Amino acid sequence: DERYRTLLDRLSRELKLSSLQRDSLIDAEIWMHSLKFRIWQATETDDFANDPRVYLTYASDSVFGLLPQSTLPKHRNVENAAMRIGRIPNAIAAAKESIKTPPKILTEIAIQRTQGAIDFYREGIFVLADESRQLSLMREPCEKAVASLTDFKEFLHSEVLPRSNGDWRLGKRKYSAKLELE
């Protein structure tokens, strides 16, 4: 939240929007609007405490998108993927510290998505990257990710699900503000 505020403040002070070319102006406006939305999310919804699915974005989506979408050479994508995968245990540790009382439905979805991430790191990523599991740089990070995600799934099921009594509804005021930002 503070990092986004600082960056938005700096952009507002340093960018001379009136002097930008149309394409650059549009890019700057999109970036600044995105920062405003992130500030709103951090202050109004606290997804890190109330939505366990957010951690799966870091744990699987950030790696999955890298492989089919990057224009870098395959070996570079595999190296980058291996580094990202290696950070999954850190993301899971942060999740276990941060998740409070999310809505039950979001916890149930997170449990299902975690199983999908486990399956992806056991097998799917090697197929997607056209890599042999035995020879891939991703093998060891994937094994650690699977162990961490398996533990996370159990944590969600045994510790978070019983206390998942949060409300997924935003309410009129927050919904109106979110709609304006989206």
Side-chain angles (χ1 to χ4, degrees), residues 90-128:
N90 297 347
I92 297 305
K96 291 171 82 172
E97 291 288 321
S98 300
I99 296 171
K100 303 296 183 235
T101 56
K104 183 178 180 182
I105 187 68
L106 298 185
T107 303
E108 291 170 340
I109 292 168
I111 291 168
Q112 292 174 359
R113 284 194 61 197
T114 302
Q115 183 59 54
I118 291 166
D119 295 342
F120 176 65
Y121 288 116
R122 275 192 181 137
E123 192 69 36
I125 193 167
F126 300 104
V127 173
L128 180 65

Side-chain angles (χ1 to χ4, degrees), residues 128-178:
L128 180 65
D130 193 28
E131 287 272 301
S132 163
R133 175 184 307 148
Q134 293 79 11
L135 302 175
S136 179
L137 289 173
M138 298 183 296
R139 182 184 53 80
E140 187 176 327
C142 281
E143 289 171 358
K144 291 178 180 176
V146 166
S148 184
L149 288 162
T150 300
D151 180 61
F152 184 56
K153 182 180 171 191
E154 177 56 31
F155 168 77
L156 289 172
H157 193 272
S158 64
E159 294 186 39
V160 178
L161 192 57
R163 68 174 187 247
S164 291
N165 60 4
D167 190 358
W168 58 268
R169 294 171 189 85
L170 292 174
K172 185 177 181 178
R173 182 190 63 78
K174 285 183 182 181
Y175 180 79
S176 294
K178 181 180 180 183

Side-chain angles (χ1 to χ4, degrees), residues 61-88:
D61 298 359
S62 68
V63 175
F64 177 82
L66 176 68
L67 295 168
Q69 296 173 5
S70 175
T71 58
L72 294 175
K74 177 187 168 189
H75 75 276
R76 178 66 59 150
N77 287 332
V78 169
E79 290 170 1
N80 290 338
M83 285 190 292
R84 288 184 187 185
I85 298 163
R87 299 194 188 280
I88 290 172

Side-chain angles (χ1 to χ4, degrees), residues 1 5 38-46 174:
D1 165 36
R5 286 182 198 280
R38 288 175 182 249
I39 292 166
W40 181 87
Q41 276 185 307
T43 58
E44 298 294 332
T45 64
D46 194 7
K174 285 183 182 181

